[in-house]
Amino acid sequence: GAGVSQSPSNKVTEKGKDVELRCDPISGHTALYWYRQSLGQGLEFLIYFQGNSAPDKSGLPSDRFSAERTGGSVSTLTIQRTQQEDSAVYLCASSLAGGPDEQFFGPGTRLTVL
Amino acid sequence: SQQGEEDPQALSIQEGENATMNCSYKTSINNLQWYRQNSGRGLVHLILIRSNEREKHSGRLRVTLDTSKKSSSLLITASRAADTASYFCALSGNTPLVFGKGTRLSVIA
């Protein structure tokens, strides 16, 4: 079946603009994760959705970042008033049941804030 | 911190040689997973080892886990140029997976 997809693959925006990044998880996966990866660095956890539970937002770096997951499937990560330090690759992953399960990653969205 | 720390940060070997990467951590875990990342894009799951397991094999990959030392190693045997990538360990405890900063492996043909 189809894997995790993300769109757009690349996004260039001007400082101060809002951006929306989309993630389509694998069908049937109840858990969805967003990560951020700066050049040459590891993965920084942002937010975690598990079924109908309240999302774990502990990794969001500021209130400019928000995410939602509609209908338990597609998720959108929104960054308001983008800053240059927001430039990174944003990775989405899903897993069957969350917790310790193997995660399946999308190809990422490379965000560049000029 | 629940984050694992990979060692070395970078490794360069000749094709055909074995590559060993290590991951150390400080907290209790349910399992430990290794992932590979090519060209800064999505990660691919390689292998999962549970806390009650000591060794696991998958093709040319061998993973060990020593919970008393809180460390794991990933061995890639007979490396190939296509193994060039970054390798991350990820820890599973009471929270979602926490990824380390990775080891950048370069296999020179």
Side-chain angles (χ1 to χ4, degrees):
Chain A
V4 178
S5 61
Q6 292 185 246
S7 61
S9 56
N10 287 284
K11 176 71 176 179
V12 180
T13 190
E14 294 180 347
K15 178 181 174 181
K17 300 284 189 183
D18 297 351
V19 295
E20 285 189 353
L21 312 180
R22 177 187 168 107
C23 173
D24 283 87
I26 293 174
S27 178
H29 280 194
T30 63
L32 187 148
Y33 311 79
W34 283 98
Y35 298 90
R36 178 171 69 175
Q37 186 178 33
S38 299
L39 186 64
Q41 299 299 309
L43 273 69
E44 176 187 3
F45 166 75
L46 296 177
I47 189 169
Y48 163 49
F49 296 90
Q50 172 57 60
N52 296 321
S53 302
D56 177 353
K57 303 180 181 179
S58 60
L60 295 179
S62 78
D63 59 8
R64 296 186 297 104
F65 288 72
S66 64
E68 61 179 21
R69 188 179 185 192
T70 53
S73 181
V74 172
S75 177
T76 302
L77 176 68
T78 301
I79 308 173
Q80 297 178 311
R81 305 181 302 282
T82 53
Q83 304 294 313
Q84 288 184 331
E85 59 263 29
D86 299 335
S87 296
V89 175
Y90 289 81
L91 293 162
C92 174
S94 70
S95 67
L96 188 59
D101 282 4
E102 171 187 353
Q103 294 185 15
F104 295 81
F105 281 79
T109 293
R110 185 178 300 280
L111 175 66
T112 303
V113 182
L114 302 177
Chain B
S1 166
Q2 194 174 350
Q3 184 180 44
E5 291 189 13
E6 292 92 342
D7 171 65
Q9 290 186 342
L11 179 62
S12 182
I13 60 173
Q14 296 290 324
E15 198 168 35
E17 293 180 338
N18 296 341
T20 300
M21 290 159 271
N22 302 296
C23 173
S24 59
Y25 58 93
K26 295 181 180 179
T27 61
S28 298
I29 60 172
N30 292 328
N31 66 53
L32 187 147
Q33 304 181 29
W34 285 91
Y35 288 77
R36 182 185 70 208
Q37 183 181 37
N38 292 87
S39 305
R41 288 295 192 166
L43 280 70
V44 174
H45 180 264
L46 295 176
I47 197 165
L48 180 154
I49 186 165
R50 301 188 190 283
S51 60
N52 61 354
E53 297 176 311
R54 292 297 169 259
E55 188 171 312
K56 207 162 182 180
H57 297 255
S58 176
R60 293 184 296 111
L61 305 180
R62 172 177 166 248
V63 169
T64 63
L65 178 64
D66 187 334
T67 52
S68 66
K69 295 181 180 178
K70 290 187 164 56
S71 68
S72 173
S73 67
L74 171 66
L75 169 68
I76 304 174
T77 60
S79 63
R80 305 167 181 169
D83 295 329
T84 295
S86 290
Y87 292 82
F88 294 86
C89 67
L91 310 178
S92 172
N94 294 323
T95 59
L97 288 181
V98 179
F99 290 81
K101 295 185 177 181
T103 292
R104 294 186 302 280
L105 174 65
S106 298
V107 181
I108 303 167

